[in-house]
Amino acid sequence: MEISDELLCLFNGEVTTTEDGYVVEIPEREVENGTIDPESVYRVAIIARGGEPGGRGESAETTVPSEPQPPVEEGEIRYVEIEDIGKQGDGIARVERGYVIIVPGAEMGERVKIEITEVKSNFAVGDVIEEDFE
């Protein structure tokens, strides 16, 4: 299966029934970490677990982690462009699958070389080691 670079978050969830439809609950951490905005509209894809229609079966060959693994590692060097500024004034860069890297002291539009100093499931922190690379 090919995963789009536009993917903002990935999580396991259950479909629940309401009076007039069905609901897939989004984990609070996805909103708290700025991955998604509760006031926006998104496209949603539903993928069956274990490769069986309806998602009821578990395949012995395929194990799906409950959390996607971060696409960066502590100590890794990355070249990123600052796409946004966070609520506390830090630069925000996005890499594979929309994964967020917080870059303190970086400005909107800057292209910087960073070293990843902290990795969490939904975001990482990187320190600038070179500004405005070409």
Side-chain angles (χ1 to χ4, degrees):
M1 171 178 16
E2 190 171 319
I3 297 177
S4 169
D5 288 337
E6 295 177 22
L7 179 67
L8 297 176
C9 59
L10 180 64
F11 56 87
N12 288 331
E14 293 184 19
V15 178
T16 56
T17 305
T18 65
E19 275 185 32
D20 56 350
Y22 300 92
V23 174
V24 176
E25 192 168 314
I26 296 170
E28 188 174 353
R29 69 179 180 274
E30 300 297 341
V31 176
E32 288 175 351
N33 290 324
T35 305
I36 61 171
D37 176 5
E39 304 301 319
S40 296
V41 176
Y42 298 95
R43 289 176 29 192
V44 177
I46 306 294
I47 303 170
R49 290 182 52 189
E52 292 186 20
R56 302 269 188 254
E58 294 291 330
S59 169
E61 298 174 20
T62 307
T63 57
V64 178
S66 61
E67 296 285 325
Q69 296 302 307
V72 298
E73 295 180 4
E74 198 169 304
E76 182 176 343
I77 304 296
R78 284 277 182 136
Y79 295 89
V80 298
E81 183 169 348
I82 304 303
E83 301 175 12
D84 204 353
I85 299 297
K87 292 177 184 171
Q88 292 156 345
D90 296 325
I92 303 291
R94 288 184 175 77
V95 294
E96 298 86 41
R97 301 185 320 266
Y99 186 81
V100 170
I101 300 177
I102 299 169
V103 185
E107 300 292 325
M108 178 86 154
E110 270 189 309
R111 294 171 44 144
V112 293
K113 181 178 180 181
I114 62 170
E115 179 177 355
I116 305 298
T117 57
E118 182 179 350
V119 177
K120 302 288 185 184
S121 62
N122 290 347
F123 72 95
V125 177
D127 288 338
V128 174
I129 56 178
E130 184 180 332
E131 294 183 24
D132 293 322
F133 71 87
E134 291 302 319

